[in-house]
Amino acid sequence: MSRKVLVAYASKMGGTAGIAEAIGAELREHGHDVDVLDVAQVRTIDPYGAVVLGSAIYARRWRRDAVRFLRHNVDQLRERQVWLFHSGPVGPDKDQEQDMPSAVRRLADKIGTAPAVTFAGRLEQATAKGFLARHLATGNLAGDSRDWAKIRAWADGISTAIPVTRP
């Protein structure tokens, strides 16, 4: 099986996509062959030996495309190294761990992967979608709360767990 790495994400306002890109960049820096893709663009995981999947989490729910990806690929994911993350908390709660939604927890158990790591999110007027998000983006929750050092450190840990294949 290939040691190519897929970093897939389901993002609503771009914050989770940015985290996925940072994870991909960190893995590439350590010599891994990485594709970073919106999960809706992933047609097969056959070329990948390892998968990192991230989803925005809103109201304790993952994006539908991310859950669908897990459900559709559960058997293949069992045969690969898999890491999960979600992002979303902002403001005073930005550092609070978020529980995985029950459907995601059941799928993670079937796959045999660890629970999702929580990363703080981003809420900015320019990218806020929906009435509530636009309203909240004008208050004390607004801003980019992502902790890039924490994200890079997590990706570095993944990098050491994945063998690098040399051409």
Side-chain angles (χ1 to χ4, degrees):
M1 184 181 301
S2 167
R3 296 313 308 164
K4 190 170 185 177
V5 181
L6 170 64
V7 179
Y9 62 87
S11 190
K12 182 175 181 179
M13 296 184 253
T16 305
I19 292 170
E21 290 291 348
I23 292 167
E26 185 71 21
L27 294 174
R28 282 187 201 102
E29 195 172 294
H30 290 279
H32 297 286
D33 184 6
V34 181
D35 289 334
V36 179
L37 298 170
D38 183 310
V39 73
Q41 296 176 330
V42 178
R43 298 293 168 242
T44 180
I45 63 169
D46 288 345
Y48 305 103
V51 176
V52 179
L53 175 64
S55 177
I57 187 166
Y58 296 101
R60 303 183 197 272
R61 292 191 172 138
W62 270 35
R63 303 289 298 159
R64 199 171 295 148
D65 285 346
V67 178
R68 188 177 303 125
F69 174 85
L70 286 175
R71 191 173 291 122
H72 179 74
N73 294 291
V74 70
D75 291 331
Q76 285 184 289
L77 289 169
R78 279 188 193 126
E79 302 167 358
R80 289 162 172 75
Q81 291 176 284
V82 177
W83 290 266
L84 304 175
F85 74 91
H86 46 224
S87 70
V90 293
D93 296 331
K94 68 181 173 60
D95 296 320
Q96 186 175 0
E97 283 294 317
Q98 301 288 308
D99 291 333
M100 286 193 304
S102 58
V104 176
R105 186 177 52 251
R106 282 191 301 273
L107 290 164
D109 288 346
K110 284 183 182 180
I111 292 164
T113 191
V117 170
T118 303
F119 295 121
R122 178 186 83 182
L123 181 60
E124 296 173 330
Q125 275 189 294
T127 57
K129 295 179 183 173
F131 173 78
L132 182 59
R134 283 193 304 273
H135 176 72
L136 293 173
T138 63
N140 67 341
L141 298 181
D144 190 342
S145 299
R146 295 173 292 181
D147 181 342
W148 297 110
K150 179 180 176 182
I151 292 163
R152 282 191 299 275
W154 187 71
D156 186 59
I158 292 170
S159 177
T160 61
I162 301 171
V164 178
T165 52
R166 303 283 180 209

